[in-house]
Amino acid sequence: SGATLVTGVAGSGKSLVLLFRACTQARLAPTTRSLALTHNRALKTELEARFGELGRPPNVVWHTFYSW
């Protein structure tokens, strides 16, 4: 429960962790909601597209920090 901050150097897999964690959380707890925040629109768009390839559960919302 609560927020999780994932940090690391460039290329360490942070975005991949976010993508698969959001998908796993959405499937394991379909009554909960998840908010995935990124720093830029390009990353948000890319992750959202890849999330769609994994089935796009409706209880996950993608935003940038500034649009949230």
Side-chain angles (χ1 to χ4, degrees):
S1 66
T4 302
L5 177 65
V6 178
T7 61
V9 298
S12 64
K14 299 178 297 291
S15 298
L16 192 61
V17 168
L18 173 63
L19 181 67
F20 282 98
R21 180 66 181 120
C23 194
T24 301
Q25 176 68 25
R27 289 190 177 141
L28 290 177
T31 59
T32 63
R33 296 182 305 161
S34 296
L35 173 63
L37 294 173
T38 66
H39 280 287
N40 62 59
R41 280 182 248 163
L43 178 58
K44 175 201 157 274
T45 302
E46 177 68 22
L47 289 176
E48 222 172 1
R50 298 216 182 256
F51 191 66
E53 295 169 7
L54 296 173
R56 191 182 299 272
N59 53 339
V60 178
V61 179
W62 298 84
H63 283 290
T64 63
F65 281 103
Y66 297 110
S67 69
W68 177 58

